[in-house]
C-alpha cells in the first residue's frame, strides 16, 4: 500500500462542495504538487491531511493507519502555512524548538536539533531575532525549520512562496527541493503557480473546482495535457478552432490554411467536424533553416522581448497566436507589419477534448 | 530640533521661513486646549495637592498626610483597593471567557452582535439605576432572594450574604466591569490569528499548551491594559456605592464624598489629602502597568 | 458536542443570566405598584412626575453643550497637531488621557474648591454652576473624545486632504468645515452619543455641583423614597442608554465603545 492514500475524499461547507471525490496515492519520499487556480480546494485538501478539517466522506490513510479522525496534534505531520504563522512572541530558536518543547524532549537534544535546523536553513545568525525582525524569505525558512524540527512523517506546504518576490521565490524553491532530497521526506506542496509546480515536483495533481483534472509528472502534464483546462493552465498555449478535413491523415483547416496534426485523437472525428486545437508557442519557428510538416504565412502583429525568449504575436486570417523564439542577438527579428513564413511539426498540433 | 519641526510641518501649510517664530506658532494652535486643561484639570488637582500639605491657616504641615495612616482611613483605602482588584480580576477573567465565547465561529452572529451591543449598554449603565436594579434582584425583598427562599428553601441572607456588604458591592460592580472587559478585549482576541493556533496544534501542542505558550503571552499587553482600566473604573466608583449602601460601606470615595458634603472630619485639608491619596494609588497602578506592559511586550520592541 | 463548544455556551448562558436577571427583577417589581394585580401604575406615576422630565431635559441640554464644547475644543486642537505639530501629539495625548487617573470625585472636589470663591465665583449663579458642570464633563469625557477624533484623523490622513483642498484653492474655514469635519462625521457622532450616555447617567459630579437639577441625582432621590416609581425609572434609563448605544452602532458599525468613568 502506498505511503499516503486519500480515499475518495470530499468536503462540503454548507452547500459549497470544496473538494469532491479526491483520490490520490502518494509514495514515500515523493514530492507532490497540488496545482490549480485559487479557490479550487487545494488548501482544503491540505487541511484535511493535517487534521484541521474533517472530510465529509472518504478516508485518509497514512502508513497503513486510518488517520481521518486523529486530532491534528497527534498526527506528526508538519505544515508550513501560507502566512508563515510564526509565533510573534518567540525568537527564531524558540519557534523552532516549540514542537520538541511541547513533547517534553530533553533540553540538550532540543538545543542540538535547533542548531542543526538553523544550519539547514542558513539562519545561524538569526537565532535570537523575533519574527518581525526578519524578511519574508527568512520567516519562511524559519517556518520550514519549525515544521521539520518534529521529524514529521509528512510535510505539507501551502503556497509557501506566494508572498515573496520573484527572485527569492526561485532560490527558496530550489532550497526546499534540495532539503527534501537530503532528508528523503514526503512532501505535498500547494501552489497556483504552474512554473513552480513544474520545476519542483515529482508529480503534479492539477485541480479544478474541487476535482482532480490530471495527475502526472511535470513532463506528462506539460507535454500531454489530457484536458483543455490542464493545457491552458499549465504553460502558455495557443488555441484555435479548426475544421477536420481528413481524420485519417490528420488534415485540418484553420482560417483557410491547411494544417497536419499527429494527434491520435483526431481519428475518432468526422470530416467537417469543428475541433479545438492547441500549439505551444515554443514549437512554432520561423521557416528558415529547417522546414517542418506545416508551413504558414502570417503577419507580425507585435513583438515582446522577454529576455531569453522573444514572443512574437502573429495573425493568420482571424486567428491570433504566439510564437516563442530564443533570443539571438545575431539574428534579425522580423519587423512589425511584415509577413513571415512559420513552421511547426505535426506532433506539435494537438486536439483538445 | 528645528529641522524636526520643519519636517513635521513639511508639505502642510507653507510658511515663510521665520525660524524663531515657527515653534511659537505651533504652540499657538494648542493654547486653547492647554488653557482649558490648566483651568479645569491642573488647577483643581494642584489645589488639592497644595492643600494636602497645609493646615487650616495655610502653613506647611505633614499632619494631613500622617492622618491618612489612621485605621479608619487606611481601611477605607484598603477596602477600595481590594474591591477594585477583585472586580477587575473577576470581571477580567469572566469577561475574557465571555468575549472569547462570543467570538467563536460557532456562536450565531445575531447572538454575538446582540450581546456585544448589550455590553456597550451595560458598561454605561452604572451608578444609581444599577444599584437599584440589584436591590430589586438580590436585596432582602429582591426577586432572586425571594424565589430562592420560597421555591428552593435557600435563604441567602441566613447564609451570610448581604447585598450591602463588600461581596454584594462586588457582585454589583461586576455588572459594569464584565461588559467593559468584553468590549476592550474583543479587538485583541480578534487579533489572535487562527494560524497560530493551528500551527501550535500541528506541532503537537494541546489547547492548554497553546494558551500557555502563545495565546496568553500575545494577549498579555491587552489583558494588562484592560485590567488597569477595570481597576480604575471600580476604584473611582462613587455613585453605585453610595446608592447601594447609603454610605455605610467604608470606601475612600465615600469618605471624600462625605468630606465634600458636610465636612464630617472638620478638616478640609485632610479631605484634600484623601483625594491626593487616591491619585497616588492610581499613579502607582499606572506605573506598575507600564512596567508590566514593557516586560510583556519585549518581543515587539528590540 | 465538542468540549470547547460546551465551554463557550456555558459562558454565554452564564453571561445572559447575569445580565438579564437584574433587568427582569426590576421589570417584575415595576409592575407590582398595585398590591392586587400587575399594573403599569409605576410607569404612570413616573410619566406624571414633572421633576423627572425637567431634570432629564436639563441633563440633555448639559450633555449637548458638553458635546459642543468638547468638539469645539478638541477638533481644532487635534487637527492642528496632526497637521502642523506632530511632535506635540504625545503631550496632547497625555493630558487627554490624564482624567482617567483622576477619579470623578477628586475632580469635582477640586473644581468646587477652586470655583466657589474668588477670583472665579462660578458657583454663585445658575449659569456659573451650569458652566462648571459642563467643564467638568468635558474633562471627564476627554479620553473618549480625544481617542475618537485622533483615530478619525489618523484614518483619513488629514495632511493629504488639507493639501488637496489647498491646491484647489480652499480657504481655512472651507477646509475645516467642508472637508475635514464631514470626513470625521461618524467618529464624532459615535463619541457624541457616548458622551450623552455618560452625562445622562452621571451622578457624582452632578450631585455636588447642581444637585437635584440633573437627571442622575433625581433618579437617586426617587429611589430613596418611592421604590415602584424608581423601578420604572430604572427600566426607562436602561432603555435610554440602549437607544444611545444602538445609535453609536448605527453611525459607526464597528466602533469600539468603552464606558465612561463612574
Ligand atoms: N471554512 C470554510 N467555510 C466555508 N467555505 C470554505 C471554508 N474553507 C474554504 N472554503 C471554500 O472552499 C473553496 C476552496 O477553498 P480553498 O481550499 O481555500 O481553495 P484554494 O486553497 O485552492 O485557493 C473556496 O470556495 C472557499 O471559499
Ligand atoms: Mg489556498
Amino acid at each position: 500500500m502506498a505511503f499516503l492514500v486519500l480515499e475518495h475524499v470530499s468536503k462540503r461547507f454548507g452547500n459549497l462542495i470544496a473538494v469532491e471525490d479526491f483520490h490520490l496515492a502518494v509514495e514515500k519520499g515523493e514530492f507532490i504538487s497540488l496545482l490549480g487556480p485559487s479557490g479550487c480546494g487545494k488548501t482544503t485538501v491540505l487541511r484535511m491531511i493535517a487534521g484541521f478539517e474533517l472530510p465529509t466522506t472518504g478516508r485518509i490513510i497514512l502508513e497503513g493507519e486510518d488517520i481521518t479522525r486523529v486530532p491534528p496534534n497527534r498526527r506528526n505531520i508538519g505544515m508550513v502555512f501560507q502566512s508563515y504563522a510564526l509565533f510573534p512572541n518567540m525568537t527564531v530558536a524558540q519557534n523552532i524548538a516549540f514542537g520538541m518543547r511541547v513533547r517534553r524532549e530533553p533540553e540538550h537534544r532540543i538545543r542540538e536539533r535547533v542548531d542543526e535546523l538553523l544550519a539547514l536553513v542558513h539562519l545561524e545568525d538569526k537565532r535570537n531575532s523575533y519574527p518581525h525582525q526578519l524578511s519574508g524569505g527568512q520567516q519562511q525558512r524559519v517556518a520550514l525549520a519549525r515544521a521539520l524540527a518534529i521529524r514529521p512523517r509528512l510535510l505539507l506546504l501551502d503556497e509557501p512562496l506566494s508572498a515573496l518576490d520573484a527572485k527569492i521565490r526561485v532560490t527558496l524553491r530550489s532550497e526546499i527541493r534540495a532539503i527534501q532530497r537530503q532528508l528523503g521526506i514526503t512532501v505535498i506542496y500547494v501552489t497556483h503557480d504552474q512554473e513552480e509546480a513544474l520545476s519542483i515536483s515529482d508529480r503534479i495533481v492539477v485541480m479544478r473546482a474541487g476535482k482532480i483534472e490530471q495527475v502526472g509528472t511535470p513532463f506528462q502534464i506539460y507535454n500531454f495535457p489530457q484536458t483543455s483546462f490542464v493545457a491552458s493552465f499549465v504553460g502558455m498555449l495557443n488555441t484555435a478552432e479548426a475544421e477536420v478535413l481528413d481524420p485519417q491523415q490528420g488534415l485540418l483547416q484553420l482560417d483557410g490554411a491547411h494544417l497536419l496534426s499527429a494527434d491520435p485523437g483526431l481519428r475518432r472525428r468526422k470530416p467537417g467536424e469543428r475541433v479545438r486545437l492547441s500549439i505551444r508557442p515554443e514549437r512554432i519557428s520561423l521557416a528558415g533553416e529547417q522546414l517542418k510538416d506545416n508551413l504558414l504565412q502570417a503577419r507580425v502583429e507585435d513583438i515582446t522581448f522577454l529576455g531569453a525568449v522573444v514572443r512574437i504575436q502573429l495573425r493568420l486570417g482571424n486567428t491570433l497566436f504566439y510564437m516563442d523564439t530564443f533570443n539571438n542577438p545575431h539574428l534579425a527579428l522580423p519587423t512589425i507589419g511584415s509577413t513571415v513564413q512559420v513552421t511547426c511539426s505535426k506532433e506539435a498540433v494537438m486536439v483538445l477534448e | 530640533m528645528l529641522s524636526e519641526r520643519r519636517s513635521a510641518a513639511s508639505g502642510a501649510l507653507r510658511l515663510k521661513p521665520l525660524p524663531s517664530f515657527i515653534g511659537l506658532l505651533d504652540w499657538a494652535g494648542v493654547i486653547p486646549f492647554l488653557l482649558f486643561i490648566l483651568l479645569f484639570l491642573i488647577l483643581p488637582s494642584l489645589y488639592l495637592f497644595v492643600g494636602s500639605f497645609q493646615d487650616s491657616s495655610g502653613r506647611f504641615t505633614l499632619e494631613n498626610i500622617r492622618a491618612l495612616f489612621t485605621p479608619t482611613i487606611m481601611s477605607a483605602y484598603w477596602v477600595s483597593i481590594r474591591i477594585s482588584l477583585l472586580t477587575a480580576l473577576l470581571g477580567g477573567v469572566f469577561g475574557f471567557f465571555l468575549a472569547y465565547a462570543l467570538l467563536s465561529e460557532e456562536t450565531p452572529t445575531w447572538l454575538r452582535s446582540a450581546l456585544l451591543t448589550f455590553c456597550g449598554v451595560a458598561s454605561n449603565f452604572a451608578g444609581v439605576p444599577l444599584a437599584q436594579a440589584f436591590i430589586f434582584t438580590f436585596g432582602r425583598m429582591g426577586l432572586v432572594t425571594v424565589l430562592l427562599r420560597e421555591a428552593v428553601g435557600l435563604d441567602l441572607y441566613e447564609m451570610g450574604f448581604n447585598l450591602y456588604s463588600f461581596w454584594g458591592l462586588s457582585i454589583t460592580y461586576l455588572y459594569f466591569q464584565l461588559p467593559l472587559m468584553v468590549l476592550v478585549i474583543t479587538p485583541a482576541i480578534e487579533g489572535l490569528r487562527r494560524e497560530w493556533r493551528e500551527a501550535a496544534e500541528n506541532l503537537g501542542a494541546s489547547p492548554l499548551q497553546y494558551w500557555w505558550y502563545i495565546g496568553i503571552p500575545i494577549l498579555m499587553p491587552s489583558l494588562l491594559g484592560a485590567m488597569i482600566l477595570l481597576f480604575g473604573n471600580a476604584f473611582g466608583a462613587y455613585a453605585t456605592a453610595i446608592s447601594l449602601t447609603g454610605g455605610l460601606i467604608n470606601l475612600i470615595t465615600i469618605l471624600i464624598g462625605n468630606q465634600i458634603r458636610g465636612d464630617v472630619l472638620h478638616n478640609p485639608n485632610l479631605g484634600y489629602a484623601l483625594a491626593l491619596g487616591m491619585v497616588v494609588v492610581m499613579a502607582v497602578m499606572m506605573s506598575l502597568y507600564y512596567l508590566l506592559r514593557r516586560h510583556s511586550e519585549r518581543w515587539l520592541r528590540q | 458536542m465538542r468540549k470547547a463548544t460546551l465551554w463557550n455556551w456555558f459562558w454565554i448562558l452564564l453571561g445572559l443570566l447575569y445580565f438579564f436577571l437584574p433587568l427582569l427583577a426590576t421589570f417584575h417589581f415595576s409592575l407590582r405598584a398595585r398590591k392586587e394585580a400587575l399594573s403599569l401604575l409605576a410607569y404612570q406615576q413616573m410619566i406624571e412626575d414633572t421633576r423627572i422630565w425637567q431634570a432629564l431635559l436639563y441633563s440633555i441640554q448639559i450633555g449637548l453643550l458638553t458635546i459642543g464644547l468638547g468638539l469645539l475644543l478638541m477638533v481644532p486642537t487635534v487637527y492642528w497637531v496632526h497637521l502642523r505639530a506632530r511632535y506635540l501629539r504625545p503631550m496632547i495625548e497625555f493630558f487627554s488621557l490624564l482624567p482617567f487617573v483622576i477619579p470623578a470625585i477628586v475632580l469635582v472636589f477640586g473644581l468646587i474648591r477652586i470655583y466657589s470663591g474668588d477670583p472665579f465665583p462660578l458657583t454663585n449663579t445658575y449659569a456659573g454652576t451650569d458652566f462648571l458642570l459642563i467643564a467638568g464633563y468635558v474633562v471627564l469625557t476627554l479620553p473618549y473624545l480625544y481617542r475618537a477624533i485622533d483615530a478619525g484623523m489618523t484614518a483619513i490622513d488629514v495632511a493629504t486632504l488639507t493639501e488637496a483642498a489647498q491646491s484647489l484653492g480652499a480657504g481655512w474655514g472651507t477646509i475645516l468645515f467642508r472637508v475635514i469635519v464631514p470626513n470625521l462625521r461618524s467618529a464624532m457622532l459615535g463619541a457624541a452619543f457616548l458622551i450623552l450616555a455618560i452625562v445622562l447617567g452621571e451622578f457624582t459630579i452632578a450631585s455636588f455641583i447642581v444637585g437635584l437639577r440633573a437627571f442622575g441625582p433625581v433618579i437617586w432621590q426617587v429611589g430613596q423614597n418611592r421604590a415602584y416609581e424608581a423601578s420604572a425609572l430604572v427600566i426607562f434609563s436602561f432603555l435610554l442608554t440602549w437607544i444611545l448605544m444602538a445609535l453609536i452602532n448605527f453611525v459607526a458599525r464597528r466602533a469600539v465603545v468603552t464606558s465612561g468613568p463612574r
Side-chain angles (χ1 to χ4, degrees):
Chain A
M1 188 169 204
F3 181 69
L4 169 74
V5 182
L6 292 142
E7 265 187 14
H8 303 286
V9 172
S10 316
K11 178 71 191 180
R12 290 167 159 272
F13 293 108
N15 284 330
L16 183 115
I17 302 173
V19 175
E20 191 173 1
D21 197 30
F22 191 98
H23 193 83
L24 181 72
V26 178
E27 295 304 329
K28 196 169 170 66
E30 242 189 323
F31 196 118
I32 300 269
S33 290
L34 304 186
L35 174 66
S38 130
C40 73
K42 307 178 297 287
T43 299
T44 307
V45 171
L46 224 54
R47 290 172 60 80
M48 288 191 288
I49 302 174
F52 299 127
E53 306 283 1
L54 187 67
T56 314
T57 60
R59 295 195 305 163
I60 298 171
I61 292 158
L62 182 61
E63 295 183 300
E65 176 202 359
D66 183 349
I67 57 163
T68 317
R69 283 166 186 279
V70 174
N73 56 0
R74 303 232 192 87
R75 290 191 182 200
N76 206 33
I77 292 175
M79 178 146 175
V80 174
F81 293 79
Q82 186 166 5
S83 55
Y84 322 136
L86 295 182
F87 307 131
N89 58 323
M90 297 184 193
T91 61
V92 167
Q94 287 168 336
N95 263 285
I96 296 175
F98 182 79
M100 292 173 278
R101 191 139 287 146
V102 297
R103 283 178 175 69
R104 305 212 192 306
E105 287 189 23
E107 201 57 37
H108 68 274
R109 285 252 301 281
I110 296 182
R111 219 169 312 123
E112 278 166 26
R113 182 97 179 117
V114 169
D115 289 340
E116 205 177 301
L117 285 157
L118 282 171
L120 187 72
V121 297
H122 312 301
L123 283 175
E124 291 96 331
D125 54 334
K126 296 290 179 192
R127 145 190 298 277
N128 293 320
S129 304
Y130 285 99
H132 73 98
Q133 299 167 305
L134 303 180
S135 71
Q138 291 169 333
Q139 293 189 33
Q140 195 52 276
R141 284 164 210 253
V142 179
L144 186 63
R146 183 178 70 178
L148 289 171
I150 56 170
R151 298 181 199 280
R153 300 193 275 178
L154 181 66
L155 183 64
L156 310 174
L157 298 117
D158 189 0
E159 310 207 15
L161 308 178
S162 63
L164 303 174
D165 51 58
K167 198 132 196 173
I168 300 175
R169 215 153 52 208
V170 173
T171 24
L172 213 49
R173 90 181 171 213
S174 50
E175 265 182 58
I176 290 177
R177 182 58 159 157
I179 290 172
Q180 183 262 341
R181 288 220 169 95
Q182 190 183 334
L183 304 177
I185 190 171
T186 315
V187 169
I188 299 183
Y189 186 102
V190 161
T191 179
H192 65 257
D193 179 344
Q194 43 98 13
E195 186 200 326
E196 201 170 286
L198 290 172
S199 68
I200 205 172
S201 330
D202 292 322
R203 280 197 296 157
I204 298 175
V205 179
V206 184
M207 291 180 66
R208 177 196 192 183
K211 288 194 207 130
I212 296 183
E213 278 291 290
Q214 186 177 352
V215 181
T217 62
F219 186 85
Q220 290 168 334
I221 296 281
Y222 187 83
N223 293 315
F224 308 109
Q226 282 165 6
T227 67
S228 59
F229 175 79
V230 175
S232 58
F233 192 74
V234 180
M236 183 75 191
L237 192 72
N238 295 303
T239 64
E241 196 139 291
E243 188 188 335
V244 180
L245 294 182
D246 184 344
Q248 295 315 313
Q249 290 182 9
L251 190 62
L252 300 159
Q253 176 169 312
L254 171 66
D255 262 320
H258 285 191
L259 209 58
L260 279 172
S261 166
D263 194 319
L266 206 55
R267 303 239 171 82
R268 287 183 270 116
R269 305 301 177 116
K270 288 190 257 327
E273 200 178 330
R274 297 199 73 80
V275 292
R276 208 157 181 83
L277 60 81
S278 73
I279 310 173
R280 296 274 183 207
E282 72 270 17
R283 309 220 36 192
I284 305 173
S285 53
L286 288 169
E289 40 313 350
Q290 250 184 337
L291 273 191
K292 296 184 182 140
D293 308 304
N294 295 305
L295 190 64
L296 302 165
Q297 302 270 343
R299 198 180 115 92
V300 177
E301 292 280 312
D302 196 12
I303 298 178
T304 315
F305 186 68
L306 298 174
V309 168
V310 180
R311 179 160 294 166
I312 301 173
Q313 190 181 36
L314 300 166
R315 174 184 287 280
L316 178 73
N318 287 323
T319 315
L320 282 173
F321 60 99
Y322 291 99
M323 171 179 89
D324 284 356
T325 66
F326 282 114
N327 175 23
N328 182 346
H330 305 298
L331 284 186
L333 288 169
T335 49
I336 293 178
S338 64
T339 303
V340 292
Q341 288 213 320
V342 296
T343 182
C344 75
S345 68
K346 61 183 177 189
E347 286 77 23
V349 182
M350 290 181 299
V351 176
L352 298 173
E353 299 296 316
Chain B
M1 195 54 193
L2 253 178
S3 65
E4 186 189 323
R5 285 183 194 173
R6 277 230 192 89
S7 69
S10 76
L13 252 180
R14 290 206 179 68
L15 286 173
K16 282 180 199 117
L18 286 172
S20 58
F21 242 35
I22 288 180
L24 277 179
L25 254 169
D26 286 353
W27 284 83
V30 296
I31 279 178
F33 171 80
L34 290 181
L35 203 66
F36 182 84
I37 288 291
L38 180 76
L39 280 177
F40 296 104
L41 185 61
I42 309 291
L43 272 185
S45 312
L46 218 59
Y47 189 91
L48 298 180
F49 182 82
V50 172
S52 307
F53 296 97
Q54 286 176 336
D55 62 17
S56 50
S57 50
R59 277 187 300 263
F60 175 82
T61 176
L62 285 176
E63 200 44 51
N64 304 314
I65 306 297
R66 196 168 308 136
L68 291 184
F69 293 89
T70 52
T72 357
I73 294 177
M74 268 294 113
S75 102
Y77 277 115
W78 185 226
V79 173
S80 276
I81 291 175
R82 261 175 37 218
I83 208 165
S84 308
L85 281 180
L86 180 80
T87 60
L89 215 67
L90 289 182
V93 172
F94 296 161
F96 175 77
F97 287 147
L98 181 58
Y100 193 79
L102 284 181
L103 294 177
S104 139
E105 281 172 19
E106 285 150 8
T107 308
T109 322
W110 64 267
L111 185 63
R112 177 182 314 144
S113 58
L115 263 172
L116 282 178
T117 310
F118 184 91
C119 285
V121 180
S123 67
N124 282 294
F125 181 69
V128 189
L130 174 66
Q132 288 169 353
F134 268 76
I135 293 172
F136 297 131
T137 315
F138 295 107
R140 275 180 200 283
M141 288 296 134
L143 186 69
V144 171
T145 318
V146 172
L147 272 182
L148 282 181
R149 191 167 52 221
E150 287 175 0
V152 193
L154 212 69
D155 193 329
L156 288 177
Y157 281 76
E158 291 269 286
M159 291 164 62
F161 174 83
N162 185 355
L163 183 61
Y164 314 105
S165 68
F166 179 84
W167 281 99
L169 198 57
S170 299
I171 289 182
T172 313
Y173 277 15
L174 277 180
Y175 200 82
F176 54 77
Q177 297 282 65
L178 191 110
L180 180 58
M181 180 68 182
V182 171
L183 289 181
V184 292
I185 206 67
T186 297
I189 295 178
E190 282 176 330
L192 277 184
R193 291 177 28 204
R194 187 173 74 164
E195 296 97 274
W196 290 333
R197 191 193 186 107
E198 289 178 348
E201 262 186 282
N202 180 254
L203 293 164
S206 66
L208 229 64
Q209 282 171 323
Y210 159 73
W211 281 110
W212 180 253
Y213 289 112
I214 298 147
I216 304 278
I218 291 177
L219 284 180
M220 197 40 99
S222 315
L223 285 173
L224 286 172
M227 293 289 199
I228 186 80
L229 191 68
L230 263 61
F231 178 91
N233 204 24
F235 191 63
Y238 170 71
T240 313
I242 189 111
S243 46
L244 191 69
T245 68
L248 288 177
I249 194 163
N250 192 23
L251 288 182
I252 185 63
T253 43
I254 289 189
L255 273 193
I256 296 177
N258 292 344
Q259 183 67 25
I260 304 176
R261 193 160 270 132
D263 194 7
V264 276
L265 300 168
H266 303 295
N267 180 0
N269 294 94
L270 179 56
Y272 305 155
L274 289 173
L276 178 68
M278 275 195 88
V279 177
V280 168
V281 171
M282 276 311 292
V284 168
M285 291 304 292
M286 283 307 260
S287 328
L288 206 65
Y289 158 68
Y290 275 112
L291 282 178
L292 286 172
R293 185 172 176 128
R294 273 183 75 79
H295 180 71
S296 71
E297 272 182 352
R298 65 199 178 284
W299 46 273
L300 276 178
R301 286 176 283 114
Q302 287 209 351
Chain C
M1 226 197 278
R2 291 197 309 126
K3 234 191 308 181
T5 315
L6 225 61
W7 167 262
N8 286 343
W9 278 107
F10 169 78
W11 286 106
I12 291 179
L13 291 179
L14 199 70
L16 282 173
L17 195 70
Y18 179 66
F19 284 150
F20 284 104
L21 257 185
L23 295 177
L24 214 68
T26 307
F27 184 63
H28 179 256
F29 189 86
S30 72
L31 299 178
R32 311 221 148 226
R34 268 188 233 288
K35 287 278 168 300
E36 57 283 7
L38 296 182
S39 72
L40 292 177
L41 180 63
Y43 292 90
Q44 193 187 338
Q45 285 169 343
M46 174 182 85
I47 288 167
E48 284 165 2
D49 193 337
T50 49
R51 279 181 325 153
I52 291 175
W53 304 111
Q54 271 167 10
L56 181 62
L57 196 67
Y58 174 80
S59 283
I60 289 176
Q61 285 168 350
I62 293 290
L64 293 179
L65 289 169
T66 302
I67 293 165
L69 181 62
L71 289 176
L72 208 63
L73 196 64
M74 292 313 288
V75 172
T77 304
V78 178
Y79 178 58
W80 182 262
V81 167
H82 269 256
L83 197 62
R84 282 293 309 275
R86 283 221 152 244
Y87 64 98
L88 289 179
R89 192 168 164 216
M91 181 191 74
I92 304 294
E93 178 162 337
F94 173 79
F95 283 126
S96 298
L97 302 184
L98 195 59
F100 175 64
V101 192
I102 301 186
I105 188 108
V106 173
L107 178 68
V108 72
F109 196 7
L111 285 176
I112 287 178
R113 287 303 145 125
I114 289 219
Y115 295 106
S116 56
D118 291 332
F120 314 104
L122 287 180
T123 50
N124 291 351
T125 59
Y126 274 135
T129 49
D130 291 349
F131 179 72
L132 193 58
L133 184 63
I134 292 166
Y137 282 163
V138 170
V139 173
L140 189 74
T141 56
L142 204 54
Y144 310 104
L145 191 59
Y146 170 76
R147 279 209 200 136
I149 295 176
D150 186 65
M153 292 216 185
T154 307
I156 61 170
D157 189 3
V158 285
T160 312
L161 263 184
T162 304
E163 276 183 13
Q166 270 182 320
S167 73
L168 295 170
W172 281 112
T174 317
I175 292 176
L176 198 57
F177 290 102
R178 308 281 301 265
V179 179
I180 303 298
V181 170
N183 275 301
L184 285 177
R185 193 158 40 205
S186 72
M188 281 172 22
L189 270 178
F193 287 126
L194 181 62
I195 291 173
L196 199 57
I198 293 172
V199 169
L200 290 188
E202 210 284 332
F203 172 80
T204 310
I205 297 184
S207 70
F208 289 114
I209 296 187
V210 297
L212 291 174
R213 285 161 67 204
F215 190 53
V218 165
I219 303 183
W220 178 73
Q221 207 217 16
V222 171
Q224 294 301 90
N225 38 31
R226 278 167 299 163
Y228 291 105
E229 197 180 324
S231 61
L233 203 47
V234 169
I235 297 291
F236 172 74
S237 76
F238 181 84
L239 289 180
L240 199 61
T241 318
W242 186 291
I243 289 168
L244 289 171
M245 291 300 130
L247 283 175
I248 294 178
N249 277 5
F250 184 74
V251 295
R253 280 257 128 177
R254 287 185 42 81
V256 177
V257 179
T258 52
S259 108
R262 305 303 94 164

